[in-house]
């Protein structure tokens, strides 16, 4: 009986090892099932659908054209705006601002955006909420927010319109190319 404690320890060790092997086998089986299910579920999502469509179609529009079209559409509705100088060198963004009668400014902006769509080919932009109007054309997006509900008595409502270019080619402000220095 001297070997009885040694046998019990060996049996316990065997039991522990078998349990660990069983857990590892079960974990491996679960992982294999999950990987198979994931591969099956994602199989259609991983298909090659070809190249991504371009961000805009056609040649990039120059900023002067975009500003001219939006200024004309607004002027036709009685909203006079001026072009603010762009202080972002190398980025294509423009800003138009002006003032209009507070009681008709919302309808004038809506009509101007409708005119830009019908006369100049602008498309409705992404929906950013009820207080914002957006248009897109080529590589440009136009954004205008409705002014505050009630400006102070006798003051016209402020109209601000932001025009942003998606890719280079639309900016009118360019920095001069560096002049190479001769080597001596």
């Amino acid at each position: 009986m001297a070997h009885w404690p040694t046998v019990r320890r060996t049996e316990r060790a065997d039991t522990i090892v078998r349990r660990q092997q069983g857990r590892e086998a079960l974990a491996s089986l679960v992982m294999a099932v999950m990987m198979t299910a994931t591969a099956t579920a994602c199989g259609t999502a991983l298909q090659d659908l070809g190249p991504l469509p371009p961000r805009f179609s056609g040649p990039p529009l120059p900023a002067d054209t975009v500003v001219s079209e939006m200024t004309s559409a607004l002027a036709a509705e009685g909203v006079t705006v001026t072009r603010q100088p762009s202080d972002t060198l190398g980025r294509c963004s423009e800003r138009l601002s002006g003032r209009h009668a507070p009681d008709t400014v919302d309808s004038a902006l809506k009509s101007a955006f409708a005119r830009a769509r019908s006369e100049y080919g602008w498309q409705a932009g992404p929906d950013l909420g009820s207080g914002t109007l957006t248009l897109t054309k080529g590589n440009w997006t136009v954004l205008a927010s409705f002014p505050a509900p009630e400006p102070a008595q006798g003051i016209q409502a402020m109209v601000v319109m932001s025009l942003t270019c998606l890719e280079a080619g639309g900016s009118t402000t360019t920095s001069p190319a560096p002049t190479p220095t001769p080597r001596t």
Side-chain angles (χ1 to χ4, degrees):
M1 287 222 185
H3 74 293
W4 181 253
T6 308
V7 172
R8 285 186 84 188
R9 275 190 238 144
T10 306
E11 286 176 0
R12 268 192 236 154
D14 286 344
T15 303
I16 292 172
V17 169
R18 286 184 189 150
R19 284 182 186 162
Q20 286 175 345
Q21 288 175 343
R23 288 184 196 131
E24 289 173 3
L26 182 61
S28 296
L29 180 63
V30 168
M31 287 298 291
V33 168
M34 289 183 68
M35 288 178 63
T36 303
T38 302
T40 304
C42 295
T44 57
L46 298 176
Q47 291 177 349
D48 184 11
L49 301 176
L52 291 172
R55 291 172 67 179
F56 62 91
S57 60
L61 296 172
D64 292 334
T65 302
V66 173
V67 169
S68 174
E69 289 179 1
M70 293 311 300
T71 302
S72 296
L74 288 165
E77 299 302 326
V79 180
T80 304
V81 292
T82 57
R83 185 176 188 174
Q84 303 296 313
S86 179
D87 59 349
T88 54
L89 189 62
R91 295 183 58 193
C92 37
S93 65
E94 297 288 335
R95 184 175 167 188
L96 303 175
S97 65
R99 297 201 171 266
H100 190 70
D103 52 342
T104 59
V105 69
D106 290 356
S107 62
L109 281 173
K110 287 178 184 177
S111 296
F113 272 62
R115 183 178 298 276
R117 286 193 301 273
S118 65
E119 291 182 14
Y120 300 106
W122 286 83
Q123 302 293 317
D127 184 15
L128 300 177
S130 61
T132 306
L133 299 171
T134 57
L135 291 175
T136 60
K137 182 177 179 182
N139 57 325
W140 287 87
T141 299
V142 174
L143 173 76
S145 296
F146 294 119
E150 285 295 320
Q153 183 74 10
I155 297 178
Q156 291 187 321
M158 182 72 168
V159 176
V160 177
M161 184 175 292
S162 297
L163 301 96
T164 307
C165 175
L166 294 176
E167 290 187 13
S171 180
T172 57
T173 58
T174 56
S175 58
T179 308
T181 56
R183 293 188 178 231
T184 55

